[in-house]
Amino acid sequence: MKRSPLKRLRYLLLFICFWVSGCLFPERFSAEIAIHKDLSFDFKYEGILTAIMARADETEQGHISSEREREMLRWAEELKRDPGFKQVNYIGHGQFKVSYEKHGQLDKSFAFVAKDIKLISIVPKKNNTIEIKGLKVSKSRRHKLNVLGMTIEGDLHIVSDLPAIQHNAQEFHASESSTAIYHWHVASLTDPAPRLVLSAL
């Protein structure tokens, strides 16, 4: 028996859902990052994370099963165990309204939401630069998300007093104190991924 296109898609999606955060996609968000001269950083995220498999269920069956809904509630409790999540509310339809904060040193890379779905990654390089990258969705993954009716929309603000080497910000402001503010509005899965490279020297 041949599987329907959505059922085939479900099996493909299972390969990217090894753990909870890897199954969550940031559909709507507001994110802020501050990078300081001492190479410390502050990261804040508020928005909606959507469970990919729950959306697949709803797209294929027209509803999310009670078993899947119970799984979503378990996921909410699992996310709450991460001290970075200050608020986690399951609002139905496989969606979580969350607030997340992280403060740390850039002696290693940081990524949110997870290693395989990175809305934001902050990567210190060996050449004394820091690269901040937004989510870049491959053509094949973009197709899978489009089938599920999933998209992305949000705003990213980055503030830093480190000099920029490269950036593709849509808006840029520099103050007399040498602090610079970079802003991106992401409106679709096909938008260029935000990128900023700072000098750490």
Side-chain angles (χ1 to χ4, degrees), residues 8 13 51 85 87 92 167:
R8 289 198 297 271
L13 289 171
F85 282 97
Q87 176 188 351
H167 73 83

Side-chain angles (χ1 to χ4, degrees), residues 155-174:
D155 291 281
L156 169 63
H157 300 269
I158 301 177
V159 178
S160 182
D161 48 12
L162 294 175
I165 297 173
Q166 295 178 354
H167 73 83
N168 63 351
Q170 296 157 347
E171 296 180 26
F172 167 76
H173 303 283

